[in-house]
Amino acid sequence: AVTAATAIGGMAVNTTQEMNKATDSFIASTGEATEKTEQYNQVLGNIYRNNYGEDFQDIADSMAQVKTQLGEINDTELQNVTEDALALRDTFGFDVNECVRAAKMLMDQFGISSSEAYNLIAQGAQQGLDKNGDLLDSINEYSVHFKQNGLSATDMFNTFKAGADSGAFSIDKVGDAIKEMGIRMKDGSATETLKSMNMEAKE
């Protein structure tokens, strides 16, 4: 019993040391104050206990990518966004940094929450929108154009899906079509085409 207790105690010490080391690397890479070590230890520990990430260092690296891209966010948001990014990585093979960048783009352009953004990305991947590996890139490139054309984040994913279902080679081509449509609507070159469809350009 004494031997077992000693072994368990040693494991606990090693786990604490590994967590502290990982948190230190997070603080160093994000420029956070060392006084917040215990605070970020808590976030890292929560993520680890929820079975996300390969180990403490993997979680710390992912937290750093989230923090770097999203800036001033509270601990709850840091934990939730990191867990969502790790879940997408482990489920669909997405890069954590690219996941966070795409989610941030959706949040910035369409005013949705991080949870909504990640749900849309996950649903899109489940529906085969990343078959050519361009889902995240298309989100980053075309969100602004969908927004400018008065479409929502849900509209964007529905349009990607409709394009994919109708035989578009890639959703990048679908996004580019929306972009070009917006340009032609604004410069007036689409006016005659719209008239042939019994539509008014201004409307």
Side-chain angles (χ1 to χ4, degrees), residues 3-147:
T3 301
T6 302
I8 292 171
M11 291 170 61
V13 170
N14 289 337
T15 298
T16 300
Q17 290 175 340
E18 290 172 6
M19 179 183 287
N20 288 337
K21 182 179 178 181
T23 301
D24 287 344
S25 74
F26 165 81
I27 288 174
S29 63
T30 58
E32 289 294 311
T34 55
E35 291 80 7
K36 295 183 178 180
T37 297
E38 186 58 37
Q39 172 185 336
Y40 291 120
N41 260 350
Q42 184 68 41
V43 176
L44 193 152
N46 289 342
I47 296 171
Y48 183 80
R49 283 188 291 274
N50 288 339
N51 293 317
Y52 291 95
E54 297 174 0
D55 52 34
F56 291 128
Q57 190 59 55
D58 181 40
I59 295 171
D61 291 341
S62 301
M63 286 171 55
Q65 291 172 344
V66 170
K67 184 68 174 175
T68 299
Q69 292 208 46
L70 299 188
E72 290 301 319
I73 57 175
N74 61 45
D75 292 351
T76 300
E77 187 77 355
L78 176 60
Q79 177 180 333
N80 291 340
V81 174
T82 302
E83 289 181 348
D84 285 338
L86 287 169
L88 283 178
R89 182 195 70 181
D90 294 343
T91 304
F92 302 107
F94 292 142
D95 177 76
V96 168
N97 196 48
E98 291 303 309
C99 282
V100 177
R101 193 160 69 97
K104 185 176 187 301
M105 178 62 74
L106 291 171
M107 293 160 66
D108 289 347
Q109 291 299 324
F110 301 108
I112 62 177
S113 68
S114 63
S115 177
E116 291 171 319
Y118 280 114
N119 282 338
L120 285 171
I121 294 172
Q123 289 168 9
Q126 289 168 347
Q127 294 172 351
L129 299 187
D130 194 51
K131 64 180 180 180
N132 291 320
D134 57 0
L135 175 58
L136 299 184
D137 286 340
S138 296
I139 291 171
N140 282 313
E141 183 172 357
Y142 298 113
S143 288
V144 62
H145 299 291
F146 277 86
K147 173 67 173 178

